[in-house]
Structure formats: C-alpha cells, structure tokens
Amino acid sequence: MGSAAAPVRQLDPHTVAELRSAAEKILAAFGTSAASPALLEHVARTAGAFSDTLRHHCRPVDTDDGLFVLRGLDVDDEAVGPTPEGWATAGDSGAGALYDLTLLLLATVMGNPIAWEGQQDGRFVHNIVPAPGHETAQTGASSAVLLSPHTEDAFHPGRAHLLMLGCVRNHDHIATTAAGIRKTRLSDQDIETLARPVLPILPDDAYAEAQGYTDQLPPAVPALFPAEDGTTLRFDPAYTPVDRADATYRAAYRRLEAELARVSVSVSLAPGEVLVVDNDLVVHGRVPFRARYDGTDRWLKRASVRVPGRRTRPPAEADEHGYGQAALEAHAS
Ligand SMILES: [Fe+2]
C-alpha cells in the first residue's frame, strides 16, 4: 500500500538543509547522540531558533487520520552501517547519530521528548530492530508475529502524546499499521461502556522492572475518553486482561478491536521518512516478517514526545502510579 494511506508533509530542500546543518553542529560539538543535560539544552536552544517553515512542517496532527509522514530527509544507507542485532549495539556516533539528533530536534519542535529509565538505557531515541530470541514477543524487537495495534506505553500516565518512527532501512517494505479512533464507528452505548475504568493495562515486556511492581494494585483505566475535541483512546489488548470483564464490556471491547482493524492503514516507510502518530488518536502495530540478521533488516528510530497543555486524557490519570516507572522529560516543563 505504501505510505499513500497517510497524509504526507514534504520537507522542502531548505528545511532539510537547515535540519542537517543543525544536527551536524551538535554532533561535532558532542561527538555523540547520547543525551546529556548539556546536549539536551543545546538541542532545545537550536530548535527554538528554527525557521517558521520548519515549525509549520511540525505543526500538530490536523486530520482525523491522526498521523502524518514527514518526507524528504535523506539517510545514507552505506554510512549508517549494518542493522544492529539489538538496540544495545546500535551505537550513538556517526551517520546513525546524525539521524538520532535530527529526530530529537524534530521532537523538540513538536513538544518535549521523553525517555524511560527502564527502556534502552534511558535513551531519548530508541532503535527498533528485530532481535534474535525475541521473534514472537509483543515488543518492537519482534518480527515473526503480528505486533498487534496498541497505544505506545499504554500502561503509563506519562506516555507520549506523539510517537515518531523514523526509518533508517526497510528493504523489504515491511508495513507499520495504524488505526485511528476518529475513523471508527461505534454505538454511543459501546463508547459509554468503554469509557468506564474497568480493566488495567499492564506494563509490556519492554519494561521488565515495571512488570515486577507489586507495591499497589494495577489501576483500572478507561479505553476510550470523550475529550472536548472528540474521542481519544488508550488501548493495548495484548496487555489487557479482557477476560476479567463482564460480557457486555467484553463484547464492546471486541467491537472496538474489530472497528480498529477495519479502519487500519498500512504505512511502509522508506529511508528518511518519519511517521508521526498522535498516540491519543491512533494505535499502531507491525505486520509479521522474517528477520535475516545479516545487517540488512528493517531499522527504525523511535522518539516519544509529550505536548504540554493537551486535554486529550481523563484528569484521573494523574493519580496513577505508573508501576514505579518514571518518564524522563528532556526539558523542564
Ligand atoms: Fe509501539
């Protein structure tokens, strides 16, 4: 299907040059994309001085699709080197780091990038690559199974408002799937049912420490929220104990799942394309593929962004414990 299914924002050459020169300067000054307080401050200052044109390309998601693709960045396939066999060996120097910094700059224009102490060593830009031994996991390290549609970090109240997936390599045109809640048709009764806090969403396998959290009970959370501007969702069926709910709720949940499947679009990212997903409007996933582990596998970079002042979530979320995990914000808010 290609990314034809998603609205595209084509970056003009001047904006691409502006971004590249900013990323190059930061890499020259720090020699790494690993985020130190000094580097993050430098990134914020640089992003604050970007042109209005660049800023306009990064404006909020403005269609019911709940997502867009930024096109026009280039990635030098040779210079980035082979796809690593796991995030830990991805490294943070060279051409890969230049892309990390580009994403971090874009993320900073859109809002406040976040990291998790418990994920990928607290990095602000994650590497998503298939990892040997994780083929059937429900995390980004999987390959052989369908990664079912989910809200990113759904278990946590500090989760991103925006999810950015930047493509480094995708020779096999493996599709990311995305389904927007504003495209679905559900009865008022189902929406009402699913807006009740009935079931918890448990931490996913990327958060080993959070999975061992036993201090307090998992909070029940609503799957849907009727926000002022329209319905938003918080949805991760692979980590939701749906069996615990009564029959009415289970049936409504299955109808939501079926509607999301019906409206799902496939986005096959090309190198340099950045998919930006509104994490309150859209669930994302990935089709199964066969990993080769020969350095040519699909390689994405992921950044998560909080947008201050949004009213897309129930206020009660603020009291959730987040299973002992804390989101680290790049910039004091
Ligand atoms: Fe995800």
Side-chain angles (χ1 to χ4, degrees):
M1 276 200 245
S3 42
V8 172
R9 297 186 187 175
Q10 177 74 47
L11 296 169
D12 60 286
H14 184 267
T15 301
V16 172
E18 185 181 2
L19 270 168
R20 186 188 300 122
S21 134
E24 280 170 354
K25 274 187 199 146
I26 296 167
L27 189 59
F30 291 87
T32 174
S33 64
S36 58
L39 182 142
L40 291 171
E41 204 205 301
H42 201 106
V43 165
R45 229 178 317 123
T46 305
F50 276 148
S51 67
D52 287 346
T53 310
L54 203 167
R55 221 162 273 291
H56 183 67
H57 287 303
C58 294
R59 70 195 178 276
V61 164
D62 52 6
T63 66
D64 275 349
D65 302 289
L67 53 83
F68 60 86
V69 171
L70 274 179
R71 185 177 287 165
L73 297 173
D74 43 26
V75 173
D76 184 333
D77 190 69
E78 202 143 310
V80 291
T83 303
E85 280 195 19
W87 62 264
T89 55
D92 28 37
S93 60
L98 208 57
Y99 200 34
D100 289 342
L101 290 167
T102 305
L103 279 182
L104 196 55
L105 284 162
L106 287 168
T108 304
V109 177
M110 294 184 204
N112 199 355
I114 58 168
W116 303 90
E117 246 165 62
Q119 221 198 133
Q120 301 208 5
D121 273 348
R123 279 182 172 79
F124 280 85
V125 179
H126 292 165
N127 288 281
I128 309 295
V129 293
H134 294 256
E135 286 81 0
T136 61
Q138 279 296 312
T139 70
S142 71
S143 49
V145 291
L146 177 86
L147 183 55
S148 35
H150 60 278
T151 303
E152 191 71 357
D153 297 325
F155 73 99
H156 203 282
R159 67 191 176 282
H161 295 114
L162 301 174
L163 173 71
M164 303 172 68
L165 294 172
C167 179
V168 181
R169 176 173 289 136
N170 190 12
H171 292 309
D172 306 307
H173 310 289
I174 296 152
T176 300
T177 61
I181 188 65
R182 306 257 166 103
K183 298 274 193 179
T184 61
R185 286 194 298 260
L186 288 164
S187 69
D188 290 348
Q189 201 171 353
D190 279 350
I191 292 173
E192 206 175 294
T193 300
L194 294 166
R196 296 194 328 247
V198 172
L199 297 170
I201 301 177
L202 302 168
D204 64 67
D205 291 333
Y207 294 88
E209 199 182 297
Q211 288 185 327
Y213 179 86
T214 53
D215 291 5
Q216 296 172 65
L217 290 173
V221 303
L224 297 181
F225 176 61
E228 238 169 81
D229 298 333
T231 306
T232 61
L233 91 167
R234 180 180 186 182
F235 183 74
D236 194 349
Y239 294 95
T240 303
V242 183
D243 295 353
R244 285 189 211 161
D246 64 28
T248 306
Y249 188 92
R250 287 202 308 270
Y253 196 91
R254 294 306 170 206
R255 281 191 286 271
L256 169 60
E257 238 177 346
E259 269 301 288
L260 289 169
R262 182 180 68 81
V263 302
S264 181
V265 296
S266 295
V267 183
S268 166
L269 292 171
E273 289 184 337
V274 181
L275 173 65
V276 180
V277 160
D278 189 315
N279 200 34
D280 290 324
L281 295 185
V282 170
V283 289
H284 66 281
R286 192 217 58 238
V287 301
F289 66 102
R290 183 189 296 269
R292 287 184 294 266
Y293 306 124
D294 64 353
T296 67
D297 282 322
R298 175 180 182 261
W299 183 3
L300 302 182
K301 300 272 187 183
R302 174 177 63 198
S304 297
V305 184
R306 298 269 304 175
V307 180
R310 292 240 302 197
R311 294 195 185 168
T312 44
R313 298 175 184 176
E317 277 195 25
D319 301 325
E320 290 176 21
H321 53 63
Y323 301 83
Q325 290 292 300
L328 314 169
E329 301 205 345
H331 315 298
S333 58

